Amino acid sequence: ETGAHHLDLWRKYVPKPYPGAMKIIQSGDLPYSRGLGWKEFVRGTLEIKKVPDANLLHPDDAQLRDLAKEISS
């Protein structure tokens, strides 16, 4: 019952434009994402950065350094 209700809400949801800038960080081994569907909603700058060979679910120390560098830039 709850799952059906959530599915119904998801189907009815209409996202609003996001007025700010957004940075998407993705693994470098994935194909180019073209904004992962955000382009039509982000009104500010949309920047897509790739972190080389990143396993973003279980990153090692080097990947964490690369990720931190991208987040802070």
Side-chain angles (χ1 to χ4, degrees):
E1 196 72 32
T2 301
H5 176 69
H6 287 161
L7 184 58
D8 186 49
L9 289 173
W10 178 77
R11 287 182 179 141
K12 292 178 182 176
Y13 177 72
V14 178
K16 296 178 183 176
Y18 177 71
M22 180 181 287
K23 180 188 283 190
I24 296 173
I25 299 173
Q26 73 176 55
S27 176
D29 58 349
L30 295 176
Y32 180 66
S33 68
R34 301 195 185 269
L36 298 170
W38 285 101
K39 275 187 172 184
E40 64 184 281
F41 301 107
V42 176
R43 298 298 179 248
T45 306
L46 177 61
E47 182 180 4
I48 300 169
K49 288 291 199 172
K50 291 190 174 194
V51 178
D53 303 320
N55 178 342
L56 299 178
L57 294 177
H58 303 285
D60 61 24
D61 288 345
Q63 292 166 339
L64 285 173
R65 282 191 295 275
D66 289 342
L67 184 58
K69 180 180 171 184
E70 288 302 332
I71 290 171
S72 63
S73 65

